[in-house]
Each structure stands twice: as structure tokens, then as C-alpha cells.
């Protein structure tokens, strides 16, 4: 056995998102988000489900905070529903704000540090009617909403994330058509990506100008992939890996941390009009100083260069429509995602070397975890020792190794605190370290949760060498 000890200040947490757990879809003044509307169209969600009730967290908030406490977690990352706080993007809703204010107070009373994400994909439907993120104006609406939420909660909350995974809320949503609003237009996707970044920068400025000496750790969360050339000897596969790295990682990293889009990505996305949506001054706004970079990581990929001339219209990779993803023969999760913790270590070392290290920005792993087809016993207990627990343990080892190599990583959030609505997959994919019985609402910690609770309280664990 080998001991993996984390620094005493390293934070262990778990993450969720409003649309995935809250329910109360139309209660206390909340109106449709784009996901409420998307769920209503038959065929969009594979099990035909919706988010009207989800995990009923809105009504079980105190119970869920007690659960987080029992798991010994230092931090809890959750998101605010824009459509609850500012329904229809009109007047701010006191009842909506009050829910998050009570959640923050409950966490603080239990000695759990709150971490707020302002946008985890659920904008008010009313904004989509104006074009959603393809419309530049949405960035300004987002900054207004962010400023107000900060005014309400900034006295008690230090950790703020503007956007969660803008790659998903642009490319998956506007190009691949598999997330709300379900569009398949590369031009809109590229515009959405730029406007999301602009919204981030505008919101960051609003928040920082209101901090007024209060402790503030402000950042953004990106989802990364590690793209390997399927054949290391193939120039075409190397170029495919470059393109995927550009379309997934660097298209966000570079404007945020270097103040410009990478030249190769601009070329790849020229036809989709990336150049045309950028206005003078935008990149200065986007490259606001960051206090933290949130890293979400699930899997890497092996990619190969174009074969044939056919364009796959549902690829999320605008400008890389003919790149193929190949199996590396690795084990996969229930999402079909390959499991290789070394990819996370490689990613963290690269981010540190090329981006966060030179800028002196610490990293938090804001999401990492895995869905598996759980089997529960009659008490609702799931023994996921060899699946989810092993995934989280191995990825924490990768984090530990990266820290050992000098990467500044301050914490890790398991995705997710509990089973929840996995977007297009409805309730069919279970990422929770806590099982949710959707009939009764009962929460039952899985083996991974027990292990993670021990790890959090001891700031480390033993694992086979
Ligand atoms: C990242 C997203 O932020 C989260 O909402 C989602 O459930 C997980 N990935 C798993 O797919």
C-alpha cells in the first residue's frame, strides 16, 4: 500500500448544478429555462424525462447540506438558476434569491465553504427567443444578472465561477444539437462561444468592481480533453490532435489567458465566422485577471485525420468535422468515455507549463467523476468499489502526482454529490457518490462516498502501490 497525502490546505468537495438537481421547475416565481423547454420536445431526452422535480433538492436543501456535512466535505460547488433569480430576464425574483441565500447560510453554519457557479447552461428561455448566446446582447444580460447575484451573496461567498464548460453551452448546444437549444449551425456555435467568453469578461469586471476588499476568488471552469494522435507516426493524426485541442481547449484558454484566439483555430473556424464576431476591445474584456482556473476532466481521446470527404454535420468540433475518434482499447464508463487517469496528470502538467503557471493562477479540479450502471441492494446501497471509487481514487492519484511535480492545485470536487439529471441522458446515467431513489427521493451514500468522506477527513488515502 502507498500513502497519498494531500497538503493540509487542499480542499475536498462535491459539485452539482441547479438544473440537474433542484426541481421546483415552476415554483416560487421561476419560469422556463432553455432546458425546461428542451425537455418538452419528444425525442430530446432519451428517457423522456424532465427537470420539473429532478432530485427535489429545492425542497430538501437542509437535508442535502446535512449530507454534505456527514461526508466531511470542505466545499460544495453549486450553480444558480438564472431563470429562478431573474425569470424571463425581467424583474429579479426575491423568492429565488432567498433560496440561494438560505443555502449559503446553511452551508456556512455547517462549516462548508460555498462555491457558486453563475451559469451552468440554464439561461431563461426568454433570452433564447432573442437568439440566446448567438446574440451578443446575451453577454450583457449575463453580466447584469451576475452583478445582482454577487450583490446579494458576495458578502458571504468568496469563490465565484462565471461559466461552467462554455464548450458545451456553445458547440454541443448550437453545433452538435445535442444540448439545449439543440441547434446545428456552426456559425451560431462560434458566435455563442465568443459571446460566452465576452459574458465571462463582463461579469468578472462587474463582480470585481463590487468586491471592495472582500475576499474574492473569481474564475471560470473549462472542460478539457487530451487529444492523442491515434498513430503517433502519422502527420495527419498529429494534425487531427492539434485541431481537436484547438477546438476544445485552446479556443477558450488562449483568449482568457493570453488575450487572443490561436491563429490556427481562427483559420480552422474562418468559414464559421469566428473573425466576424470579434469586435475591437472584446479580447481585453475577455482576458480579465483570473484568481483561479476550474478544470473539469472526464476523459481523453485518440483521434485520426480525415478519411473521405464526408462532413459530419453533428460534430461538436466546428472546423474539424472530418476528424475521427478511435478507441484506445481502454475500459469505458457508462458514458462510453475511456478511463485513463494518466491523461489528467498530463493535462495538469501541460496547463501549468503553458498557461496557469506563468500567470501564477492556481487550479481547482471543479469536476471529475464517472457514471456506471449501479446495482443497489435492498437498502439502496451501491458497492461501486471497483468502478466509481476506483475512478475517483486513480484520478486523485494523478492530481497528487501533478502536485508533486509542482503544479499548484488547491482542491478537487467529485462530480457529483448525488445522482441527477444527466442532460440528454435524463436519469439513465448515474454520476453520484450518493444514490438517489427517484421514486422516494431517498439518498444513500455509495461505497465511493464512504471512501471519499474518509479521504476528505484524513486529507489522503492508502492505495495499492
Ligand atoms: C460536466 C457538466 O458540467 C455536468 O453538468 C455533467 O453532468 C458532467 N459533465 C457529466 O457529464
Amino acid at each position: 500500500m502507498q500513502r497519498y497525502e494531500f497538503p493540509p490546505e487542499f480542499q475536498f468537495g462535491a459539485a452539482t448544478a441547479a438544473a440537474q438537481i433542484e426541481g421546483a421547475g415552476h415554483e416560487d416565481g421561476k419560469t422556463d429555462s432553455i432546458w425546461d423547454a428542451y425537455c418538452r420536445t419528444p425525442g430530446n431526452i432519451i428517457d423522456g424525462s424532465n427537470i420539473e422535480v429532478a432530485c427535489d433538492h429545492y425542497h430538501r436543501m437542509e437535508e442535502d447540506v446535512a449530507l454534505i456535512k456527514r461526508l466531511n466535505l470542505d466545499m460544495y460547488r453549486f450553480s444558480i438558476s438564472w431563470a429562478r433569480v431573474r425569470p424571463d430576464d425581467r424583474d429579479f425574483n426575491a423568492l429565488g434569491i432567498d433560496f440561494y441565500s438560505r443555502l449559503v447560510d446553511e452551508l456556512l453554519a455547517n462549516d462548508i465553504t460555498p462555491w457558486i457557479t453563475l451559469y451552468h447552461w440554464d439561461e431563461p428561455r426568454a433570452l433564447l427567443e432573442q437568439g440566446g448566446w448567438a446574440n451578443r446582447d446575451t453577454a450583457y444580460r449575463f453580466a447584469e444578472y451576475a452583478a445582482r447575484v454577487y450583490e446579494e451573496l458576495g458578502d458571504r461567498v468568496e469563490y465565484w465561477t462565471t461559466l461552467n464548460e462554455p464548450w458545451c453551452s456553445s458547440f454541443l448546444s448550437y453545433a452538435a444539437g445535442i444540448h439545449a437549444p439543440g441547434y446545428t449551425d456552426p456559425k451560431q456555435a462560434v458566435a455563442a462561444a465568443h459571446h460566452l467568453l465576452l459574458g465571462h469578461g463582463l461579469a468578472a469586471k462587474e463582480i470585481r468592481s463590487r468586491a471592495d476588499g472582500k475576499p474574492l476568488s473569481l474564475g471560470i471552469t473549462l472542460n478539457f480533453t487530451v487529444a492523442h494522435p491515434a498513430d503517433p507516426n502519422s502527420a495527419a493524426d498529429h494534425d487531427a490532435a492539434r485541431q481537436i485541442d484547438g477546438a476544445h481547449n485552446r479556443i477558450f484558454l488562449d483568449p482568457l489567458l493570453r488575450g487572443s484566439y490561436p491563429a490556427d483555430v481562427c483559420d480552422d473556424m474562418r468559414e464559421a465566422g469566428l473573425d466576424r464576431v470579434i469586435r475591437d476591445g472584446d479580447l481585453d474584456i475577455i482576458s480579465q485577471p483570473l484568481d483561479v482556473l476550474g478544470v473539469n476532466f472526464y476523459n481523453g481521446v485518440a483521434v485520426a485525420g480525415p478519411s473521405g470527404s464526408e462532413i459530419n454535420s453533428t460534430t461538436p468540433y466546428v472546423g474539424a468535422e472530418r476528424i475521427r475518434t478511435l478507441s484506445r482499447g481502454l475500459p469505458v464508463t457508462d458514458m462510453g468515455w475511456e478511463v485513463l487517469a494518466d491523461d489528467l496528470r498530463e493535462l495538469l502538467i501541460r496547463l501549468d507549463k503553458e498557461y496557469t503557471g506563468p500567470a501564477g493562477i492556481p487550479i481547482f479540479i471543479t469536476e471529475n467523476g464517472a457514471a456506471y450502471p449501479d446495482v443497489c441492494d435492498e437498502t439502496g446501497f451501491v458497492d461501486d468499489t471497483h468502478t466509481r471509487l476506483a475512478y475517483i481514487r486513480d484520478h486523485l492519484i494523478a492530481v497528487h502526482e501533478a502536485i508533486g511535480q509542482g503544479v499548484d492545485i488547491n482542491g478537487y470536487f467529485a462530480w457529483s454529490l448525488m445522482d441527477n439529471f444527466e442532460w440528454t441522458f435524463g436519469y439513465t446515467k448515474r454520476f453520484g457518490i450518493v444514490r438517489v431513489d427517484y421514486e422516494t427521493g431517498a439518498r444513500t451514500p455509495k461505497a465511493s462516498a464512504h471512501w471519499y468522506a474518509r479521504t476528505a477527513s484524513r486529507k489522503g488515502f492508502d492505495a495499492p502501490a
Side-chain angles (χ1 to χ4, degrees):
M1 283 300 217
Q2 184 169 337
R3 175 95 195 132
Y4 294 92
E5 193 83 48
F6 286 80
E9 59 285 357
F10 190 87
Q11 304 284 295
F12 287 91
T16 63
Q20 295 179 270
I21 67 162
E22 283 179 2
H26 295 86
E27 246 178 88
D28 290 345
K30 180 178 172 297
T31 56
D32 267 0
S33 76
I34 57 171
W35 276 93
D36 291 298
Y38 190 69
C39 290
R40 283 198 287 268
T41 302
N44 279 349
I45 310 297
I46 64 167
D47 59 356
S49 62
N50 62 42
I51 49 176
E52 209 52 47
V53 176
C55 303
D56 200 24
H57 168 71
Y58 190 77
H59 298 115
R60 292 169 180 262
M61 182 267 281
E62 285 87 357
E63 173 192 340
D64 288 337
V65 173
L67 173 67
I68 299 166
K69 180 75 186 163
R70 279 209 306 287
L71 297 179
N72 306 320
L73 302 185
D74 304 305
M75 296 187 126
Y76 174 55
R77 173 177 178 251
F78 60 95
S79 79
I80 307 261
S81 158
W82 188 347
R84 191 181 297 292
V85 163
R86 197 177 191 185
D88 300 329
D89 195 47
R90 287 211 193 96
D91 297 334
F92 284 93
N93 173 21
L95 286 174
I97 293 171
D98 181 61
F99 170 71
Y100 298 107
S101 183
R102 286 187 288 114
L103 169 57
V104 165
D105 286 344
E106 190 72 16
L107 289 165
L108 293 173
N110 282 282
D111 213 16
I112 300 159
T113 304
W115 182 308
I116 287 179
T117 300
L118 284 160
Y119 187 64
H120 202 124
W121 311 347
D122 49 351
E123 71 185 288
R125 180 169 61 93
L127 282 171
L128 184 63
E129 284 155 15
Q130 319 292 320
W133 286 102
N135 177 359
R136 186 177 169 94
D137 195 48
T138 297
Y140 294 87
R141 303 282 77 75
F142 175 66
E144 281 173 20
Y145 148 76
R148 177 61 184 267
V149 176
Y150 184 77
E151 280 166 7
E152 299 285 347
L153 306 177
D155 57 335
R156 286 159 286 161
V157 179
E158 175 177 348
Y159 291 89
W160 292 81
T161 292
T162 52
L163 308 176
N164 177 71
E165 301 194 353
W167 182 80
C168 296
S169 40
S170 53
F171 295 104
L172 277 188
S173 305
Y174 288 82
I178 55 176
H179 271 198
Y183 298 165
T184 52
D185 177 357
K187 289 197 173 69
Q188 289 199 55
V190 163
H194 180 68
H195 297 148
L196 279 154
L197 283 170
L198 182 65
H200 155 80
L202 293 167
K205 279 177 88 163
E206 295 292 339
I207 289 173
R208 212 176 285 287
S209 72
R210 286 165 172 77
D212 203 18
K214 294 190 285 284
L216 173 64
S217 201
L218 176 61
I220 183 168
T221 280
L222 303 178
N223 56 316
F224 294 97
T225 192
V226 178
H228 303 275
D231 173 358
N233 298 316
S234 153
D237 293 4
H238 275 279
D239 198 50
R242 174 197 62 74
Q243 276 182 266
I244 299 304
D245 181 48
H248 202 118
N249 305 324
R250 290 182 290 114
I251 186 175
F252 297 105
L253 275 171
D254 280 47
L256 288 164
L257 291 159
R258 294 182 175 164
S260 59
Y261 284 99
D264 63 323
V265 174
C266 287
D267 283 347
D268 291 343
M269 297 193 183
R270 196 170 308 283
E271 213 176 300
L274 178 56
D275 287 348
R276 289 197 292 277
V277 289
I278 306 168
R279 295 201 191 155
D280 282 352
D282 283 1
L283 283 151
D284 290 337
I285 296 171
I286 292 169
S287 57
Q288 293 300 303
L290 295 178
D291 303 315
V292 56
L293 178 68
V295 171
N296 286 5
F297 179 79
Y298 290 89
N299 64 303
V301 283
V303 293
S307 79
S309 58
E310 206 162 293
I311 302 265
N312 174 0
S313 65
T314 60
T315 181
Y317 293 113
V318 172
E321 288 86 351
R322 288 160 58 216
I323 304 300
R324 294 163 298 143
T325 302
L326 303 184
S327 162
R328 289 182 282 175
L330 295 164
V332 294
T333 68
D334 201 22
M335 300 297 285
W337 298 342
E338 290 189 324
V339 179
L340 186 63
D342 286 350
D343 280 344
L344 175 57
R345 190 190 52 229
E346 183 181 325
L347 168 70
L348 292 168
I349 291 170
R350 183 238 182 148
L351 287 174
D352 173 62
K353 188 162 153 248
E354 297 179 21
Y355 293 96
T356 53
I361 299 171
I363 289 173
F364 268 83
I365 311 299
T366 39
E367 280 182 37
N368 175 243
Y372 283 101
D374 292 335
V375 179
C376 69
D377 68 15
E378 61 288 351
T379 69
F381 177 73
V382 172
D383 183 358
D384 58 355
T385 310
H386 300 294
T387 55
R388 187 174 296 100
L389 186 161
Y391 180 100
I392 293 176
R393 183 199 60 212
D394 292 351
H395 284 76
L396 273 169
I397 291 174
V399 171
H400 189 270
E401 288 168 350
I403 294 173
Q405 294 197 35
V407 186
D408 187 9
I409 308 167
N410 293 356
Y412 174 99
F413 291 84
W415 182 271
S416 176
L417 172 66
M418 63 179 103
D419 293 336
N420 58 47
F421 176 79
E422 179 55 22
W423 309 110
T424 302
F425 294 93
Y427 299 95
T428 65
K429 304 291 178 197
R430 292 180 177 269
F431 276 91
I433 56 173
V434 173
R435 178 177 176 84
V436 174
D437 178 330
Y438 293 114
E439 295 290 307
T440 64
R443 278 90 160 118
T444 312
K446 304 176 191 177
S448 54
H450 293 288
W451 177 87
Y452 194 59
R454 281 196 304 280
T455 296
S457 71
R458 295 178 193 162
K459 299 274 180 198
F461 56 88
D462 296 314

